């Protein structure tokens, strides 16, 4: 399923995930609070469906799903490792597998670092500075798991 990252509904969802109340979103877009509520309900459903489809396509067994935050925790059946699927406003839908990488020699090193820092910022999480994407990912996803368990 496609996530409409350029549509207003998705923008509402991102603002709401960041803690902006529906009434403020409504004022910002000059629409009714009820319209925002309906759009958010629709987006939550689309986010949930998309996360579940991604989990199925990647053979990830679902352990915890939070559509309001756009995060799914699970376990990869073929790789036998923990996995997370998340929605980033900047990077779209992402799948990350727990692993020990050799990041220094990887051609995607910068891409991984940028993705992790960007998503931490989107989720208002502070991370320890490290040049190792594997350690950064472990810290980020540990904090995300706590965040999801609080809801």
């Amino acid at each position: 399923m496609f996530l409409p990252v350029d549509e207003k509904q998705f923008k509402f969802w991102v603002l709401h995930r960041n803690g902006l109340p529906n009434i403020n979103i409504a004022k910002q877009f000059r629409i009714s609070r009820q319209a925002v509520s309906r759009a958010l309900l629709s987006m939550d459903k689309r986010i949930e469906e998309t996360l579940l489809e991604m989990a199925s396509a990647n053979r990830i067994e679902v352990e915890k799903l939070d559509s309001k935050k756009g995060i799914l925790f699970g376990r990869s059946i073929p790789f036998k490792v923990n996995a997370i699927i998340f929605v980033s406003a900047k990077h779209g839908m992402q799948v990350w597998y727990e692993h020990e990488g050799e990041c220094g020699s990887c051609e995607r090193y910068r891409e991984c670092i940028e993705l992790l820092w960007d998503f931490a910022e989107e989720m208002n999480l502070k991370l320890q500075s490290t040049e190792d994407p594997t350690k950064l990912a472990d810290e980020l996803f540990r904090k995300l798991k706590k965040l999801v368990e609080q809801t």
Side-chain angles (χ1 to χ4, degrees):
M1 174 176 270
F2 172 72
L3 277 181
V5 295
D6 293 331
E7 288 183 14
K8 278 187 182 179
Q9 282 187 342
F10 185 77
K11 290 175 183 166
F12 297 167
W13 182 84
V14 169
L15 290 169
H16 192 259
R17 177 174 75 175
N18 292 340
L20 197 64
N22 292 9
I23 191 71
N24 293 22
I25 296 170
K27 286 178 184 176
Q28 184 175 334
F29 286 88
R30 295 186 175 109
I31 60 173
S32 71
R33 185 187 51 77
Q34 293 82 1
V36 171
S37 294
R38 282 192 302 275
L40 289 172
L41 287 172
S42 174
M43 271 314 297
D44 284 345
K45 184 178 178 192
R46 287 170 85 175
I47 296 283
E48 181 174 334
E49 289 171 354
T50 304
L51 288 169
L52 290 171
E53 285 178 15
M54 286 293 286
S56 177
N58 288 281
R59 300 190 60 218
I60 295 172
E61 194 171 68
V62 178
E63 293 174 359
K64 180 89 172 157
L65 185 148
D66 186 330
S67 61
K68 292 183 184 338
K69 293 198 179 6
I71 301 170
L72 180 148
F73 289 97
R75 182 136 181 102
S76 169
I77 297 166
F79 300 136
K80 297 180 171 80
V81 296
N82 292 328
I84 181 172
I85 304 172
F86 58 95
V87 178
S88 164
K90 184 174 181 182
H91 299 278
M93 184 74 64
Q94 297 291 318
V95 180
W96 189 281
Y97 297 97
E98 190 176 76
H99 65 285
E100 289 298 322
E102 295 197 20
C103 301
S105 62
C106 180
E107 61 188 48
R108 293 196 160 183
Y109 171 83
R110 282 198 187 292
E111 185 180 324
C112 289
I113 287 284
E114 181 181 326
L115 169 70
L116 295 167
W117 280 112
D118 286 348
F119 193 61
E121 186 176 315
E122 285 180 36
M123 298 304 294
N124 298 313
L125 295 172
K126 302 289 182 217
L127 301 177
Q128 298 296 315
S129 183
T130 177
E131 293 183 16
D132 182 348
T134 302
K135 289 180 183 172
L136 195 62
D138 288 346
E139 180 184 0
L140 173 60
F141 300 137
R142 189 173 46 255
K143 288 182 177 186
L144 286 170
K145 201 163 214 168
K146 282 183 185 178
L147 188 67
V148 167
E149 288 171 354
Q150 291 173 358
T151 56

